[in-house]
Amino acid sequence: MKRRPLFPQVGALLHGGDYNPEQWLDRPDILEEDIRLMKQAGVNTATLGVFSWSVYEPREGEYHFEWMHRIIDNLYENGIYTVLATPSGARPAWLDEAYPEALRTNLKRVRNLHGQRHNHCITSPAYRKLVRRMDEKLAEEFGSHPGVILWHISNEFGGECACELCKEKFREYLREKYHNNIEELNQEWWTTFWSHRFLDFSQIEPPAAHGEKSIHGLNLDWKRFTTANTRDFMEAEMAVFREKTPHIPITTNFMHLYMALDYNQMAKPLDIISWDSYPRYGDPDRSLYDCSVENAFDHVTMRSFKKDRPFMMMESVPSLVNWHDYNKPKRPGVHRVTALQAIACGSDTVQYFQWRKGRGSYEQYHGAVLDHLGRSDTRVFRDVEEVGRLLASLKEVQGSVVQAKAAILFDWDNRWAIDDAAAFSNKTKKYEQTCIDLFRLFVKNGVEVDLISSEEPFDGYDFLAAPMLYLLKPGVAHRLKAFTERGGQLLATYITGYVNENTLCYLGGFPGDGLTELFGLYTEEIDTLYPKEKNGADFGEEGSLQGVYVLKDYCELVKLQGARPLAVYTGDFYAGTPAVTVNDYGKGKAYYVAARMEAAGMEALLKVMWKNAGIEVKALPEGVEYHRRTGDGAAYDFFINYTNEEQVIETEAGTDLLTGEAKEGKTTLAPLGVMVCRVQV
Ligand code: GLA
Ligand code: ZN
């Protein structure tokens, strides 16, 4: 794989984060101290202007950019590059006063008052015009500055608006989707049910708790519309920079698995993916490793949006946040492993929210590199300095990427549809957790895996897992068949292929759209288990899979049409019927796990499938995460020890980039230790 460094002009992994100097313009001493300490901490980037509108344009049409010029110049002269945001994430009071249509209307149809942030109507032409004018100014003022390396559009897009403008735009969206044919919509939304037929698109309202919320097709189309409209707003912002500063790449920062926007759609027009990582480290109910595996799931979701280049961890925190239920500082050594985890998973940056704590308002206690204390001899500052040093020694990793031969389908439409389905048990649907639990087995076995939408190409993979793929988008069933036919190993589970893209159930047997043929079975019923109920999958005593594994939550009753049973249920009225099956299809195999099986059973099955797919597993001690990044003939093997004990790992012959030592064979990782070994490939 060819390397694609994100910022060749910087020539290093980025280290830095959100910096809000506009809060300190009356304290030149502090601004000077910031530069000195950034250099001391090995910071080479600052994210500026995220919430600067009211300082840039204190009154409509009165612009002040001089202060930002001074800051960017000063940073640049000191070797610190700027990620420059557009300030559309929060609006000044004058704007809402003059253009109330910019205020968001919630689903109860109540218009918000001025305040907070991220509460705009993104349809509002007035708001779009003001944002455009601001973005044009930013491009003109700063677009040719050599220190500006990236545009950061707005901040953490999210939310929905049900104002008259948005409603009308939604109806337009539906008119286009359903070919201006209300009968087509009635059919796809199954509106004859409960007498909900529409005569005209003008009768359609966005879903609301006090209105229509029972039409799954409507609920889903509303979510799709909200994504499309948000993307449209983002692209309108991007268009200014594409035209005026085509040499500067563009990102926006995502919020981990944020449910309300389909990030797969949002990711498409962006040059670089970036996201904000705030795991709940320190929760006594979960080990650091468990918490980190979930964070790895998020990292991998992000890196999978653009597999040919690194992503950015745009925000994280060196100590604590202020909005978890319990805000606990990272323990000694934790910052190191979490920073290196981001790099291991394919990020070329470790960035923070925020550089310095503000004195007042909502985020005054949010962790930062610099505390109100103002000293650099603190534990947190030293942790950041250490990460700065580690990143400097990993400079050559830039631009390399993680490559996977396996993928798990993780799909926003599917999330929405499962979440909205009035079926199964609302307490145990757990689609995301099911995907994470499966992913964890890959991490445990050192197998790289992408997390992709069902719309992404399947070529290049030898293994695909499609857990709980309830909703099938057009063409997906066909592509799953083609994948298996050419030799792929495919894994599906209970609750596969129940509905089409508009949530209409398939007739003639689930999994629908022709998948009964692929899996060689159809499902007849699904049993939802109460939490204290269990069943078992008995694999027998012969063959590569043996023993009995616990099943919980869901058991589908399937009838075979060509598939071979690998395991049968041990209990209930369906004891002895198939629980896990395999069907030979073309050169490949399609496995079906009809029930929610405990991790040990899934792992045993995965090992068989990985072997069939020619995917090697890596022996890792418990609590150690491994990833490999490659680029231009070199590979970088990352080992991260999340435990408080020493762990012994095995490396290929290479050089430990953090110490410069030659390594081969067994090596001991210190408690919370990390190793990055460069090996030839
Ligand atoms: C988000 C935002 C930041 C800040 C942090 C606090 O990620 O983008 O502006 O509010 O959360 O954790
Ligand atoms: Zn609106």
Side-chain angles (χ1 to χ4, degrees), residues 51 117 155-156 253 276 278 315 323 353 363 366:
F51 296 110
R117 57 177 177 174
N155 190 65
E156 295 191 336
N253 50 342
D276 304 339
Y278 295 107
E315 292 180 25
W323 50 268
F353 182 89
E363 289 180 334
H366 193 291

Side-chain angles (χ1 to χ4, degrees), residues 193-194 196 211-219 420:
F193 174 77
W194 284 354
H196 284 186
E212 184 57 271
K213 60 173 182 180
S214 58
I215 301 178
H216 300 307
L218 164 62
N219 297 345
D420 198 38

Side-chain angles (χ1 to χ4, degrees), residues 418 425-435 437 468 494 552-554 596:
I418 290 177
S425 160
N426 277 332
K427 296 206 167 60
T428 55
K429 285 178 187 169
K430 297 188 178 169
Y431 170 60
E432 292 81 3
Q433 196 56 50
T434 303
C435 292
D437 290 345
M468 299 174 73
Y494 54 93
K552 60 176 186 178
D553 299 338
Y554 298 104
R596 190 168 279 167

Side-chain angles (χ1 to χ4, degrees), residues 151 191 248 336 424 427 543 583 594 598 604 622:
W151 294 115
T191 54
I248 302 180
R336 171 178 59 233
F424 321 119
K427 296 206 167 60
N583 194 37
E598 65 172 313
E622 214 173 297

Side-chain angles (χ1 to χ4, degrees), residues 82-274:
T82 293
V83 171
L84 191 56
T86 68
S88 61
R91 304 177 311 282
W94 61 257
L95 195 156
D96 288 344
E97 191 178 33
Y99 306 94
E101 72 169 46
L103 288 159
R104 181 170 293 176
T105 296
N106 65 30
L107 294 182
K108 290 192 187 126
R109 314 303 194 248
V110 178
R111 198 180 280 283
N112 290 348
L113 302 178
H114 170 74
Q116 307 206 45
R117 57 177 177 174
H118 303 156
N119 61 348
H120 5 271
C121 168
I122 54 167
T123 302
S124 156
Y127 188 51
R128 285 182 174 226
K129 200 167 138 200
L130 291 161
V131 168
R132 185 177 177 91
R133 201 167 68 190
M134 173 56 72
D135 290 353
E136 282 169 353
K137 296 262 179 219
L138 291 177
E140 283 154 18
E141 292 283 333
F142 304 107
S144 57
H145 197 295
V148 175
I149 54 171
L150 177 70
W151 294 115
H152 173 302
I153 301 294
S154 202
N155 190 65
E156 295 191 336
F157 280 114
E160 50 199 0
C161 176
C163 75
E164 291 305 317
L165 292 165
C166 286
K167 274 191 215 172
E168 202 33 55
K169 204 166 176 188
F170 178 46
R171 291 170 188 145
E172 268 313 304
Y173 173 89
L174 296 174
R175 281 189 191 100
E176 199 182 320
K177 174 169 176 184
Y178 296 104
H179 312 99
N180 213 6
N181 179 355
I182 198 70
E183 274 319 310
E184 191 180 328
L185 175 143
N186 279 319
Q187 187 58 29
E188 287 299 311
W189 286 6
W190 208 251
T191 54
T192 309
F193 174 77
W194 284 354
S195 229
H196 284 186
R197 294 176 59 77
F198 296 104
L199 288 175
D200 194 276
F201 286 88
S202 62
Q203 296 172 324
I204 295 168
E205 282 278 338
H210 62 306
E212 184 57 271
K213 60 173 182 180
S214 58
I215 301 178
H216 300 307
L218 164 62
N219 297 345
L220 223 62
D221 275 340
W222 171 251
K223 289 193 185 308
R224 290 179 180 134
F225 161 75
T226 298
T227 294
N229 200 22
T230 308
R231 177 172 163 179
D232 182 62
F233 181 93
M234 179 180 80
E235 288 192 276
E237 284 210 65
M238 291 174 68
V240 172
F241 302 108
R242 287 273 187 251
E243 188 200 318
K244 293 186 187 292
T245 61
H247 59 289
I248 302 180
I250 306 179
T251 191
T252 191
N253 50 342
F254 290 160
M255 296 175 270
H256 95 133
L257 306 180
Y258 182 62
M259 178 79 161
L261 290 176
D262 180 349
Y263 277 162
N264 200 58
Q265 295 299 328
M266 294 290 291
K268 290 206 165 90
L270 297 169
D271 298 314
I272 300 173
I273 300 303
S274 68

